[in-house]
Amino acid sequence: MSQTLFDKLWNAHIVQAETEQAPALLYVDLHLIHEVTSPQAFAELAARGLKVRCPERTVATMDHSTPTWAADLQGQRRYASEQAWEQVRTLMENCDRHGITLHDWDSPNRGVVHVMAPELGLTRPGMTIVCGDSHTSTHGAFGALAFGIGTSEVGHVLASQCLLQRKPKTMRIRVEGELGPGVTAKDLVLHVIGKVGVDAGTGHVIEFAGSAIRALDMEGRMTVCNMAIEAGARAGLIAPDQTTVDWLRGRAHCPQGEAFERAAVEWLALASDTDARFDRDVLVEADEIAPSITYGTHPGMVVAIDQAVPHAADATAARALDYMQVEPGKPLLGRKIDVVFVGSCTNARLGDLRSAAEIMRGRRVAQGVRMLVVPGSEQVRKAAEAEGLDQVFRDAGAEWREPGCSMCIAMNGDRVAPGQTAVSTSNRNFEGRQGPGSRTFLASPATAAACAVAGHIADPRRLDGEPEVHIHFPAPRHMEARP
Amino acid sequence: MKPLRQLSSKTLVLDQDNIDTDQIIPARFLTTTSRDGLAAAAFADWRFDEQGRPKADSPLNAPTAQTCEILVAGDNFGCGSSREHAVWALMQFGFRVVISAKIADIFRANALKNGLLAIEVDRDTQRWLLAHPGAELNIDVTECRLDLPGNGAGTELWSVTFELDPFARTCLLEGVDALGYLLAQSDAIAEFEQRREAA
């Protein structure tokens, strides 16, 4: 019988098939952990006198509560609170106690968990990967079954390397055709979520397919799968192909030489069979997609950047427009902004930074706007610095920070102030997500950079010579003087 | 985990779709290393203003709010982040049951692992519940049945059934979590590992 990519991944990891009475027992190949969702799980293990079953299948990083300021001359870091430091210290102790590899401050590989694991080749096609973080769907870009879990399940995996799961349904979203100039993977996924809805994927695993998906590089594919959860699906998937294989070749944790080529043959065989059936099938035309931006308080409230914001269809939507202070019937272009954030597990990889830097080069962040650029990992940071991207951002008046989740989740002290408007390359525009009272407009790195330069919401395709974009070139100021 | 077999309580209604876990517990409360002490963080930005004063118009601040053990909400409740803190905060606030027509996957999984019954009802039942805050409901977990009061004089009490995974139901009824069951499968897990190693 023909199988989907999901079926193949699922079947290869079943320890015990599901019955009416009990869910399937699913084996986990890689368990990624971080400081926020693991301490209570380790405490549970300690309370029951249990060990970590497979420390070698567990990898830790610290990203959510960590400051993005560089350490001071004494090596001290400015944590948001004593409790935040306590949380990071607890992770260090737990990893030490259980023999788990932790990429901490000294590691050249530390980073946002969904950026650093693929970089290291820890994420590979055919695997099952979980993490106490909903954006674990990112790793599905490699043809791995990857999804977010809660802290109880983190405990389950630590203790048993397995999860109890009911088999989800499958949904395929095909994006056919070519993306237009200036249209990125972020625009694609925002458009798709707007089209299918924020709960369309509930109970499903989404496989993204079609020519526009195959044309994306691995970074773009990670951006797309990252936001599968914003369509309600715990996992997103993209079939491994030559792009996947080429990206993985030579990565630290990948097999090397002959073994790699043998593995690659297996990876390429994971693709859904041509006659495989999905529970739901959705077709999206790539040429319908423009640079996209959200206008409401969930990622499905999205429009093409030059398109009018729709009128509220119900009370929930009306509340969202009111919260965002958005006027329906008009495009968002020209809306004044206070903050621009380029970062997060969605858009903080090298290509994202290049795309933003291309717009920033030789320009300045508009007066009154604060721009924060936070690379996704130490590797991204070093690569960006090697090609001078940090200097481009600094010269433009943006803040260049150290890797972490930063203003995406706003629990490390990096936040948007109450009432402020932010254009962000992250994944969630929920009320208060970037700080109490903050208003978030989600967009691509290119759009975010264009907005930073203009000082208001702007179309990255019409940066120069258009009347609606005012580019200020104020006298250079020192970073310390910025708010 | 505290068993949950039967419960009768008034409802608290939050008539809004897509209530995400950032609303249920804002991220700044997540630096804790404990499961406890989260009652005050539940819906913190809905309940308190920037100065920490209770907002008068929030149903969550009504004098009876913390005695309501049943939360009724719009669609896609619990979407967003996987933070189990959302479940802990709701339970510490006083809820044992969440009812919606659609509940997000990760939230639901987290809820059932902690003894918070998260159930989906049909559209009509949800609409009725949203329109009748404070309705006195009876929930029978053994029978997966929800009893609703009449619509006023002369109308009979009515019931709907809900779906609940048999495994989660057993855990709720017996007050046990799944970890014990998982550990009991360790031979099967070891066999699986050996089989793969050999392949």
Side-chain angles (χ1 to χ4, degrees), chain A residues 61 108 128 245 269 442:
Chain A
T61 186
T128 45
V245 170
L442 300 175

Side-chain angles (χ1 to χ4, degrees), chain A residues 16 20 25 27 29 40 48 53 83 87 150-153 166 199 202-203 316 319 428 430-431 433, chain B residues 16-17 20 22-23 27 30-32 34 80-81 84 102 105 110 113 165-166 177 182 185 193 196:
Chain A
Q16 270 174 7
E20 165 91 32
L25 200 57
Y27 195 78
D29 291 325
Q40 297 88 347
R48 300 192 192 206
R53 183 184 175 96
Q83 200 181 42
Q87 191 174 55
T151 296
S152 291
E153 290 186 318
R166 291 284 178 192
D199 59 359
T202 306
T316 299
R319 179 189 157 123
R428 289 187 174 136
F430 300 154
E431 274 183 39
R433 167 79 178 185
Chain B
Q16 195 179 319
D17 292 339
D20 58 77
D22 275 84
Q23 307 314 306
L30 305 186
T31 50
T32 179
S34 163
S81 147
E84 199 161 311
K102 201 159 187 186
D105 288 340
N110 288 344
K113 286 185 178 58
D165 182 85
D177 67 16
L182 268 169
Q185 314 306 313
E193 287 172 331
R196 284 222 312 188

Side-chain angles (χ1 to χ4, degrees), chain A residues 199 314 316, chain B residues 11-19 70-78 98-104 118-135 137 146-149 151 158-162:
Chain A
D199 59 359
D314 55 35
T316 299
Chain B
T11 61
L12 187 144
V13 168
L14 297 174
D15 187 2
Q16 195 179 319
D17 292 339
N18 306 311
I19 295 177
I70 303 172
L71 174 62
V72 175
D75 283 4
N76 201 23
F77 184 83
V98 174
I99 305 177
S100 172
K102 201 159 187 186
I103 296 176
I119 51 177
E120 292 180 342
V121 293
D122 64 86
R123 180 71 59 213
D124 287 343
T125 305
Q126 181 202 33
R127 225 173 263 146
W128 188 91
L129 287 168
L130 290 171
H132 294 84
L137 308 184
L146 173 65
D147 303 324
L148 300 94
N151 282 317
W158 49 300
S159 297
V160 293
T161 53
F162 53 85

